[in-house]
Amino acid sequence: ISREHSLAKENAVSFNADGTTIEVGGGQRFWREHPLHVQEMLQYRISRSDLAKIAAARKVTVSVGAFSGTVSSDLQRAIRELVETAGP
């Protein structure tokens, strides 16, 4: 949620997993305007092998457009469980 469309122009996502860059690319963007703010949601397609790399890494950062952050160990655990459950 923000005052303006923050992800309209740049919404490509990339991960850095233990020094290896995983480029996912642009996402499908959904948005809705309200009088005081804009809600934006992005949807991406990412391969099972890339998810496995993210789940196995010791340190993962994610960048979306001009924004970046660290992927928590809880999220990595959830991704690992998803990969294991999904099968080949």
Side-chain angles (χ1 to χ4, degrees):
I1 297 176
S2 63
R3 291 181 182 251
E4 57 190 48
H5 294 264
S6 301
L7 302 169
K9 293 180 183 174
E10 289 188 48
N11 61 29
V13 68
S14 66
F15 293 89
N16 185 303
D18 290 339
T20 300
T21 301
I22 301 168
E23 296 287 346
V24 177
Q28 183 177 8
R29 182 175 162 267
F30 302 92
W31 57 273
R32 142 177 39 179
E33 291 183 356
H34 295 276
L36 299 176
H37 65 271
V38 176
Q39 291 177 317
E40 295 177 281
M41 181 177 75
L42 298 169
Q43 173 178 287
Y44 297 91
R45 183 176 299 263
I46 184 168
S47 71
R48 184 181 191 280
S49 63
D50 283 343
L51 286 174
K53 291 175 193 172
I54 292 166
R58 283 178 279 135
K59 181 178 179 185
V60 181
T61 57
V62 59
S63 298
V64 180
F67 304 96
S68 64
T70 303
V71 175
S72 71
S73 59
D74 288 339
L75 181 55
Q76 280 185 276
R77 187 179 315 108
I79 293 169
R80 186 169 37 258
E81 291 172 4
L82 174 69
V83 169
E84 291 169 357
T85 303

